[in-house]
């Protein structure tokens, strides 16, 4: 059955056609996003939801989204999506961070020109028939110092354009290395240094707990007298009330804002002040950008729904289409290893340790981690998936660690998962053979070679004669067909294990008959999703 996608905001017809051309059923309802009740009523039918900024994907909407797998935002900002609720629900949230980078950067530069030369006010005055040439005295950008807060994708483009205008560019960004800064031709500084030196300040960071009010009242007071502030990034980065006061006092010479703490912004402390340029969140509002992000989100969502490729996800590691093909069997293996341990563990888990050996160590380990953790947690929460599992694990205080190492054994690559509880450590290892089929190769340090089946039976016992016969005879007498039978032992006469791949679940009465023989220390039925 073809996946079904709802487009609930205005999206390019070309983007809608991409879904159809890829074999995805799509309902184009560009005004539905404004009706939260109707959206909540219908969302349960869809595998994907494509949106812009009008649709609010709230916890209530997600609660009704029983089939939803992905939300795609045509654009960068995802403030209108409850990402925490989406993660818990197992829904991937994607955006398109590159489709409107140039457009947004150009808008910031345009706003800087506008506030430097008082262009909007001069235009209004001239339209009114006035000729107030001496009133609108501006400043040049050439030779001025531009302080860029956030030198990532958009901030980096602004840096490049500003250097072309012969500005001196300084940048504050905790993630910007000295080598990268040198290549960009900018000086890396701390925030206080930037505030003290910049003639113009422009912000290009997302709104997070760390960046909220980064230009607070306290920090604005540290700025150079005559500074001009530009914000085309996110509302909430600047204390707008404090900025308005500094504009009135003359400490700040001007401001240009495209985004506001509360949007739509019908009232704001900055409105009506001289030399304040305001636009209604137009950063991405060009024909080219709108088309780019729409096409990009349609392709990304289609790739995920059809191939499992994850691009620009905010709550799950990205996996390219090429990686998805290669990693598919390893992702399944990770899930099986996790599922084995999850079904064997009854006490609270303190830590999960995952070892990657050989070729698999060079793969996308974040995605493999997610699969293993999801497998472990499925017993307690059957609805958990690769998106929600890490969130739930974190909520429960489970520490997750990974180790990768060069090839160290007979296999080109393998994964070993160890779970730590208050009482014990339990581990299992597996690999993928050349036929693409996952295999269990070690349990509790005992080497085995076991095919993974939908229904399996795991037993432990002392290494004594008769185990094979007892298992085979009991299964046969009770109509349980064995597809594959694997044995292993630590030492002669020591602990031994058996792993049976059977056609159907071994019924409780059959397990009770095995227990009655007194030969087995543990008898555990296991189930795996091998589809």
């Amino acid at each position: 059955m073809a996946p079904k996608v709802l487009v609930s905001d205005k999206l390019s017809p070309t983007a809608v056609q991409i879904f159809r051309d890829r074999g995805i059923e799509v309902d184009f309802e560009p005004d539905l996003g404004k009706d939260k009740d109707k959206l909540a009523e219908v969302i349960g039918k869809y595998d994907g939801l494509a949106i812009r900024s009008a649709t609010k994907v709230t916890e209530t909407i997600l609660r009704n989204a029983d089939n939803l797998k992905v939300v795609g935002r045509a654009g960068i900002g995802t403030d209108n999506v409850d990402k925490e609720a989406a993660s818990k629900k197992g829904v991937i949230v994607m955006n398109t961070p590159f489709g409107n980078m140039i457009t947004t950067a150009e808008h910031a530069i345009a706003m800087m020109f506008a506030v430097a030369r008082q262009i909007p006010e001069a235009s209004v005055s001239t339209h009114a028939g006035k000729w107030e040439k001496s009133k609108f005295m501006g400043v040049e950008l050439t030779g001025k110092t531009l302080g860029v807060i956030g030198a990532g994708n958009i901030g980096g483009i602004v840096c490049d354009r500003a250097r072309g205008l012969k500005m001196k560019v300084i940048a504050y960004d905790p993630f910007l290395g000295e080598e990268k800064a040198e290549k960009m031709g900018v000086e890396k500084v701390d925030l206080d240094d930037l505030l003290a030196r910049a003639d113009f300040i422009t912000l290009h960071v997302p709104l997070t707990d760390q960046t909220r009010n980064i230009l607070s009242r306290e920090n604005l007071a540290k700025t150079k007298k005559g500074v001009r502030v530009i914000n085309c990034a996110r509302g909430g980065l600047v204390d707008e009330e404090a900025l308005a006061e500094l504009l009135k006092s003359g400490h700040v010479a001007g401001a240009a804002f495209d985004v506001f703490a509360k949007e739509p912004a019908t009232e704001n402390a900055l409105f009506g002040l001289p030399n304040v340029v305001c636009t209604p969140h137009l950063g991405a509002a060009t024909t080219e950008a709108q088309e780019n992000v729409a096409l990009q989100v349609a392709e990304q969502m289609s790739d995920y729904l059809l191939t499992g490729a994850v691009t620009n996800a905010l709550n799950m590691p990205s996996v390219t289409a090429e990686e998805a093909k290669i990693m598919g069997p390893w992702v399944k293996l990770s899930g099986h290893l996790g599922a084995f341990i999850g079904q064997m563990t009854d006490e609270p888990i303190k830590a999960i340790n995952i070892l990657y050996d050989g070729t698999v160590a060079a793969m996308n380990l974040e995605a493999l981690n997610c699969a293993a953790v999801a497998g472990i947690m499925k017993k307690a929460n059957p609805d958990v998936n690769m998106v929600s599992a890490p969130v739930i694990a974190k909520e429960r205080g489970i520490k997750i660690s990974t180790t990768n190492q060069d090839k160290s054994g007979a296999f080109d690559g393998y994964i070993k998962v160890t779970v730590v509880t208050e009482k014990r450590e339990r581990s299992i290892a597996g690999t993928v053979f050349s036929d693409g089929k996952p295999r269990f190769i070690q349990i509790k340090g005992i080497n085995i070679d076991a095919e993974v089946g939908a229904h399996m039976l795991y037993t432990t016992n002392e290494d004594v004669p008769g185990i094979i016969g007892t298992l085979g005879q009991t299964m046969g007498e009770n109509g349980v067909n064995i597809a594959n039978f694997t044995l292993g032992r630590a030492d002669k006469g020591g602990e031994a294990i058996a792993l049976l791949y059977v056609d159907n679940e071994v019924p409780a009465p059959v397990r009770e008959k095995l227990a009655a023989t007194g030969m087995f220390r543990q008898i555990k039925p296991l189930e795996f999703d091998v589809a």
Side-chain angles (χ1 to χ4, degrees):
M1 187 175 178
K4 193 171 184 179
V5 167
L6 172 65
V7 179
S8 61
D9 285 338
K10 290 181 173 63
L11 214 64
S12 160
T14 309
V16 176
Q17 191 59 43
I18 285 175
F19 286 119
R20 294 183 176 129
D21 291 344
R22 297 285 299 270
I24 292 174
E25 188 178 344
V26 58
D27 287 340
F28 182 45
E29 302 283 351
D31 296 318
L32 183 59
K34 299 173 185 175
D35 188 342
K36 61 182 181 180
D37 294 330
K38 182 63 176 177
L39 180 60
E41 180 184 326
V42 303
I43 192 64
K45 300 187 295 184
Y46 297 97
D47 301 286
L49 176 63
I51 63 171
R52 284 196 186 278
S53 58
T55 299
K56 310 300 180 188
V57 186
T58 62
E59 186 175 5
T60 302
I61 297 296
L62 289 161
R63 195 179 301 128
N64 294 332
D66 293 333
N67 294 312
L68 195 64
K69 300 172 182 65
V70 58
V71 173
R73 162 71 159 99
I76 297 179
T78 54
D79 302 342
N80 54 324
V81 180
D82 188 331
K83 290 180 283 294
E84 183 178 353
S87 296
K88 289 180 180 178
K89 186 76 174 179
V91 176
I92 289 178
V93 180
M94 297 176 170
N95 67 351
T96 53
F98 307 114
N100 55 14
M101 291 190 305
I102 290 175
T103 289
T104 305
E106 285 184 354
H107 193 66
I109 295 292
M111 294 285 268
M112 185 161 56
F113 272 115
V115 75
R117 301 302 296 269
Q118 304 182 64
I119 291 172
E121 289 178 284
S123 177
V124 170
S125 171
T126 307
H127 273 289
K130 302 175 183 178
W131 195 257
E132 300 176 301
K133 192 173 180 180
S134 61
K135 179 179 179 180
F136 302 109
M137 185 63 64
V139 296
E140 291 184 353
L141 300 185
T142 299
K144 298 297 190 296
T145 298
L146 174 64
V148 179
I149 298 177
N153 294 320
I154 295 171
I157 296 172
V158 170
C159 290
D160 179 65
R161 300 297 192 267
R163 289 180 64 243
L165 295 170
K166 307 302 181 184
M167 298 184 81
K168 163 72 174 175
V169 183
I170 59 177
Y172 166 70
D173 189 327
F175 303 103
L176 178 65
E178 293 289 352
E179 185 177 346
K180 175 68 172 175
E182 187 175 343
K183 285 182 179 179
M184 292 171 62
V186 306
E187 180 186 351
K188 181 183 178 182
V189 298
D190 62 29
L191 183 58
D192 283 350
D193 193 15
L194 182 147
L195 297 173
R197 292 170 55 189
D199 299 300
F200 293 81
I201 296 174
T202 181
L203 297 108
H204 299 286
V205 293
L207 182 64
T208 66
D209 290 340
Q210 289 72 39
T211 62
R212 189 180 303 277
N213 259 9
I214 191 169
L215 289 189
S216 61
R217 180 179 296 274
E218 179 185 359
N219 281 340
L220 284 168
K222 298 176 183 176
T223 58
K224 181 178 182 179
K225 182 174 173 57
V227 70
R228 291 168 172 84
V229 179
I230 297 95
N231 185 12
C232 294
R234 280 284 168 264
L237 299 176
V238 182
D239 184 333
E240 294 163 353
E241 296 282 349
L243 178 61
E245 292 175 16
L246 290 172
L247 282 159
K248 292 173 184 175
S249 73
H251 179 82
V252 175
F257 273 53
D258 185 49
V259 291
F260 303 89
K262 183 180 179 182
E263 295 183 6
T266 55
E267 294 181 350
N268 191 279
L270 300 175
F271 290 176
L273 295 180
N275 206 20
V276 174
V277 181
C278 295
T279 51
H281 208 142
L282 299 179
T286 63
T287 303
E288 295 87 350
Q290 294 300 297
E291 187 75 3
N292 287 343
V293 296
L295 300 184
Q296 189 177 346
V297 81
E299 292 286 7
Q300 288 178 191
M301 292 177 68
S302 298
D303 285 344
Y304 176 67
L305 291 171
L306 297 173
T307 71
V310 181
T311 307
N312 295 325
L314 302 174
N315 57 348
M316 181 180 168
S318 289
V319 179
T320 66
E322 291 73 21
E323 284 180 321
K325 292 176 186 175
I326 297 169
M327 290 178 57
W330 290 96
V331 170
K332 282 189 175 182
L333 172 66
S334 296
H336 294 333
L337 295 173
F340 182 97
I341 289 190
Q343 292 176 82
M344 295 297 300
T345 305
D346 295 321
E347 59 266 21
I349 296 171
K350 293 175 58 180
I352 301 170
N353 305 319
I354 308 172
L355 169 68
Y356 297 99
D357 180 280
T359 55
V360 68
M363 294 184 184
N364 186 332
L365 302 188
E366 286 188 72
L368 296 175
N369 284 350
C370 291
V373 175
I376 291 169
M377 306 195 76
K378 263 194 182 302
K379 178 189 174 186
N381 185 351
D383 294 326
V384 77
N385 65 12
M386 289 174 63
V387 179
S388 58
V391 177
I392 296 172
K394 184 177 180 180
E395 286 180 347
R396 296 181 180 179
I398 299 173
K399 295 181 179 179
I400 301 171
S401 64
T402 62
T403 304
N404 56 322
Q405 63 186 32
D406 294 334
K407 182 176 181 292
S408 63
F411 299 99
D412 289 336
Y414 71 84
I415 302 172
K416 182 178 181 180
V417 179
T418 302
V419 160
V420 180
T421 69
E422 289 285 356
K423 297 179 180 179
R424 61 177 64 86
E425 289 189 8
R426 180 175 277 115
S427 66
I428 181 170
T431 190
V432 174
F433 280 10
S434 58
D435 60 3
K437 292 183 178 179
R439 313 279 287 199
F440 294 144
I441 59 172
Q442 190 184 84
I443 298 174
K444 296 172 67 174
I446 299 174
N447 293 331
I448 58 169
D449 177 9
E451 184 179 352
V452 183
H455 302 285
M456 305 191 80
L457 185 72
Y458 172 73
T459 66
T460 63
N461 56 274
E462 184 181 350
D463 181 35
V464 295
I467 295 296
I468 295 176
T470 300
L471 284 169
Q473 183 176 352
T474 305
M475 296 296 117
E477 289 176 349
N478 290 276
V480 179
N481 190 50
I482 300 173
N484 191 286
F485 196 135
T486 303
L487 294 171
R489 67 182 184 185
D491 297 294
K492 182 179 179 180
E495 184 177 22
I497 61 174
L499 195 56
L500 283 66
Y501 168 13
V502 293
D503 288 348
N504 302 100
E505 181 183 356
V506 179
V510 179
R511 302 198 303 269
E512 289 167 4
K513 287 182 181 180
L514 288 173
T517 65
M519 301 178 72
F520 300 95
R521 297 171 180 168
Q522 191 174 21
I523 302 167
K524 182 75 175 178
L526 303 170
E527 292 186 358
F528 298 92
D529 182 5
V530 296

